Amino acid sequence: MNITRQCCRQHQHLLRARFYSQTRLESRRNPLSRYAPLALGAGAVVGLSFYFFYPDASRSAPTLATSPLSATHFTPTRVTSNVVSGPDTKLLEVTVPPELLPRDDAAGSPESPFAPIWSVYIKDDDIQVERPYTPLEGIDKDGRMLFWIKKYPKGEVGRWLHSKTPGENIELRGPLKTWHWKEDEWDEIVMISGGTGITPFYQLFHSVISRPSECKTRFTLLHSSRTPADLPPPRIMDNFSTFATQNPDRFRLQLFVDSREGPSSPSQLPTPHFGRIGKSAIEECLDLNARPSLWNRLFGKTEAPKPKRKVLFLVCGPDPMISAVAGPFGRNLSQGSIRGVLGDMGYVSSEVYKL
């Protein structure tokens, strides 16, 4: 498979903003299988062997040290800082050599490859595995990208990135579009995130929400973490909090924690709600939790109506959170049906996008 076709498939993976890249091998029918049951068994063994042991096709993307940054190949970048930002998290900055920055004739427009929301694949050279990560502030004119990286017990690439020190090289490829922002397409966008799932929403905040604009879209961020100490670091949260305070008609912020145990967040943030993001929180952010009318109370109609304005929900976080809020992803990393809290509230696939 050539590199262009492979990148198209990887692009589809990033549209779901999943933290695991996968490939599927085309199954081929054995013309002799109808004659010999033994051939069926042998074919099954061969198929399973290919599934588990065939190399990930994404590894065939070459490393090109003198070509501009692209989704079709890996580009060496240099670690410029890697600092602890919280429990099992680091803020990692890498720099692409300025001469390798691609020409962007559409800079500043939604058609730019660096318009939000986009990600890159970072490759762990030790085990030749790649995973997608979202640069918090995109990429600047000097080629710098900043990532918020969490180290998970079974996350090979995250652990590898935590071990990197300034001066070391990291190979990445991209940009690849995760979700395409269109100005004034929606009256309101509600971003629901958990853990490091906040990173694509910070990129949108940095590139769009916090910038002066005639755009009329209102934004709300509902973010959940395990404890107050697990909330994103001040580099992220202070900007959210300050902007929400100064621009309440443009952007609103609500935080949630599963437990109040442990130290508090170092950021000056609104007091987090205790519990998970559920129906009441979503209704509140949409101003749907008003007291029902006497008629509705008499006849038992207590469900809040959907707003008449156009609302889009963007959901990003751990799989269990995505499933609880919007239903799980479908087969082959497709969006799947809308279930969970949003499905129960009557929202459909055109109104919900899972990253």
Side-chain angles (χ1 to χ4, degrees):
M1 180 179 294
N2 60 39
I3 297 302
T4 301
R5 292 180 60 192
Q6 176 59 32
C7 286
C8 288
R9 183 159 59 186
Q10 293 295 339
H11 173 66
Q12 292 176 342
H13 289 188
L14 265 173
L15 289 176
R16 282 70 179 178
R18 305 288 288 160
F19 291 98
Y20 299 94
S21 61
Q22 299 180 1
T23 57
R24 291 177 59 89
L25 297 172
E26 181 182 0
S27 59
R28 297 180 177 179
R29 182 177 301 172
N30 184 344
L32 299 178
S33 60
R34 64 181 181 272
Y35 300 113
L38 182 60
L40 282 173
V45 171
V46 171
L48 287 172
S49 299
F50 267 83
Y51 183 85
F52 286 108
F53 299 110
Y54 191 78
D56 188 335
S58 66
R59 300 170 192 166
S60 63
T63 297
L64 303 180
T66 59
S67 296
L69 187 68
S70 169
T72 64
H73 60 256
F74 287 99
T75 299
T77 66
R78 188 168 295 275
V79 176
T80 47
S81 68
N82 197 10
V83 297
V84 174
S85 59
D88 296 322
T89 66
K90 283 190 172 184
L91 284 169
L92 169 71
E93 183 185 85
V94 303
T95 301
V96 179
E99 65 273 16
L100 298 185
L101 293 178
R103 179 176 175 177
D104 187 5
D105 295 327
S109 79
E111 304 308 316
S112 167
F114 296 109
I117 299 172
W118 58 274
S119 297
V120 297
Y121 268 104
I122 296 178
K123 181 174 68 173
D124 179 344
D125 287 334
D126 293 342
I127 58 175
Q128 294 297 297
V129 170
E130 61 173 14
R131 296 289 181 259
Y133 291 91
T134 303
L136 288 167
E137 299 173 354
I139 187 168
D140 67 14
K141 61 182 178 59
D142 297 317
R144 291 175 296 196
M145 289 183 280
L146 182 67
F147 301 90
W148 187 43
I149 308 292
K150 184 173 179 64
K151 179 175 65 176
Y152 293 95
K154 297 182 179 180
E156 305 95 338
V157 180
R159 292 199 307 271
W160 182 77
L161 289 174
H162 269 235
S163 71
K164 298 285 106 176
T165 59
E168 293 190 81
N169 283 343
I170 288 177
E171 295 184 5
L172 55 81
R173 63 184 185 90
L176 294 109
K177 193 69 70 176
T178 305
W179 176 76
H180 191 72
W181 156 252
K182 294 181 180 179
E183 187 166 321
D184 289 327
E185 179 78 10
W186 303 92
D187 298 320
E188 181 158 5
I189 292 179
V190 179
M191 303 167 286
I192 302 176
S193 62
T196 54
I198 200 172
T199 56
F201 302 146
Y202 188 85
Q203 188 187 99
L204 183 63
F205 171 82
H206 176 80
S207 302
V208 174
I209 302 172
S210 64
R211 304 295 176 92
S213 171
E214 298 298 322
C215 177
K216 301 297 191 296
T217 303
R218 184 174 75 170
F219 298 86
T220 298
L221 173 62
L222 307 178
H223 177 75
S224 64
S225 290
R226 191 174 60 86
T227 69
D230 290 308
L231 289 167
R235 175 68 182 268
I236 297 173
M237 296 310 301
D238 285 355
N239 293 327
F240 276 138
S241 181
T242 299
F243 190 84
T245 300
Q246 297 175 351
N247 302 271
D249 294 332
R250 170 77 164 164
F251 177 71
R252 296 184 295 179
L253 171 68
Q254 289 191 38
L255 303 175
F256 299 79
V257 292
D258 295 335
S259 171
R260 295 193 179 99
E261 296 180 358
S264 61
S265 168
S267 299
Q268 299 298 317
L269 299 174
T271 301
H273 300 276
F274 178 64
R276 299 182 178 180
I277 300 171
K279 178 181 176 182
S280 61
I282 294 171
E283 289 180 345
E284 179 181 350
C285 81
L286 295 174
D287 302 321
L288 298 180
N289 57 349
R291 181 177 174 83
S293 67
L294 176 61
W295 178 269
N296 285 342
R297 280 184 280 137
L298 287 174
F299 289 91
K301 297 180 179 180
T302 59
E303 289 294 323
K306 291 170 61 176
K308 295 181 181 179
R309 57 191 182 277
K310 289 181 65 177
V311 179
L312 175 68
F313 293 90
L314 299 176
V315 186
C316 186
D319 284 347
M321 190 216 78
I322 292 178
S323 297
V325 172
F329 284 91
R331 295 184 60 186
N332 302 330
L333 302 179
S334 64
Q335 285 288 297
S337 59
I338 305 305
R339 290 184 274 175
V341 175
L342 293 176
D344 292 341
M345 294 177 68
Y347 290 99
V348 296
S349 58
S350 61
E351 300 169 301
V352 180
Y353 194 84
K354 308 166 193 175
L355 283 75

